[in-house]
Amino acid sequence: MKPLTEQEIRAAFVNCSKGEATRLYVPRDLSDQPWEELDYLGWRDPRAPQRAYLVAGDQALVLRTPSAGAERMRRSMCSMCTVSPLAGVSLMVAPRAGAAGKRGDSVGSYFCNDFGCSLYLRGKRDPGPGGRLPETISLEDKVERLATNLTAFLGRVAA
């Protein structure tokens, strides 16, 4: 993933207004991100724990997450990277873009709570005991699967 600036991130949101995009929380440590190893950038809003954000390519999404503790009630597998890390996996729900989102339509998918999919796949972050099922496919295939799953989710939000 190419490094992004705060302005580029704010301009990329497809499922909120421009005003909302200017007010939402963007991490201050963008220059410290391992951009070359990321397929997407995701983060939670420290001021609003049930809000999260995701940027992939030229699209960014506002996401809603379950209330604190709700994700601990059930063990799930991430829909993007097929890992189940100790940090947990949560259903992340995105309002659809455009008129559908204004009507309240949304789509959801399971993501690692820490949005570490790219790092788990590349072995840069340990998901913990039992967090990763043994796979025989190559790293390239794992990264391609992540890209395919992410593109499908982004497409469902933008459609």
Side-chain angles (χ1 to χ4, degrees), residues 104-145:
D105 291 356
S106 61
V107 295
S109 193
Y110 287 92
F111 283 85
C112 294
N113 282 337
D114 60 2
F115 294 103
C117 298
S118 300
L119 302 176
Y120 291 129
L121 289 182
R122 290 170 173 83
K124 304 293 182 181
R125 186 177 290 169
D126 181 15
R132 183 177 319 189
L133 296 173
E135 293 186 285
T136 58
I137 63 174
S138 69
L139 175 59
E140 281 181 351
D141 289 340
K142 291 176 187 177
V143 171
E144 185 177 326
R145 178 182 60 204

Side-chain angles (χ1 to χ4, degrees), residues 53-84:
Y53 309 100
L54 182 144
V55 182
D58 61 351
Q59 289 184 315
L61 304 177
V62 173
L63 304 167
R64 289 187 314 268
T65 66
S67 60
E71 65 267 4
R72 291 187 195 102
M73 300 175 102
R74 161 182 346 191
R75 188 140 164 108
S76 301
M77 183 177 288
C78 178
S79 299
M80 299 298 126
C81 68
T82 71
V83 169
S84 184

Side-chain angles (χ1 to χ4, degrees), residues 10 17-26 45 47 51 53:
R10 290 186 189 284
S17 71
K18 289 184 191 278
E20 289 171 309
T22 61
R23 293 186 300 274
L24 58 80
Y25 172 80
V26 175
D45 190 331
R47 301 172 299 184
R51 277 196 151 177
Y53 309 100

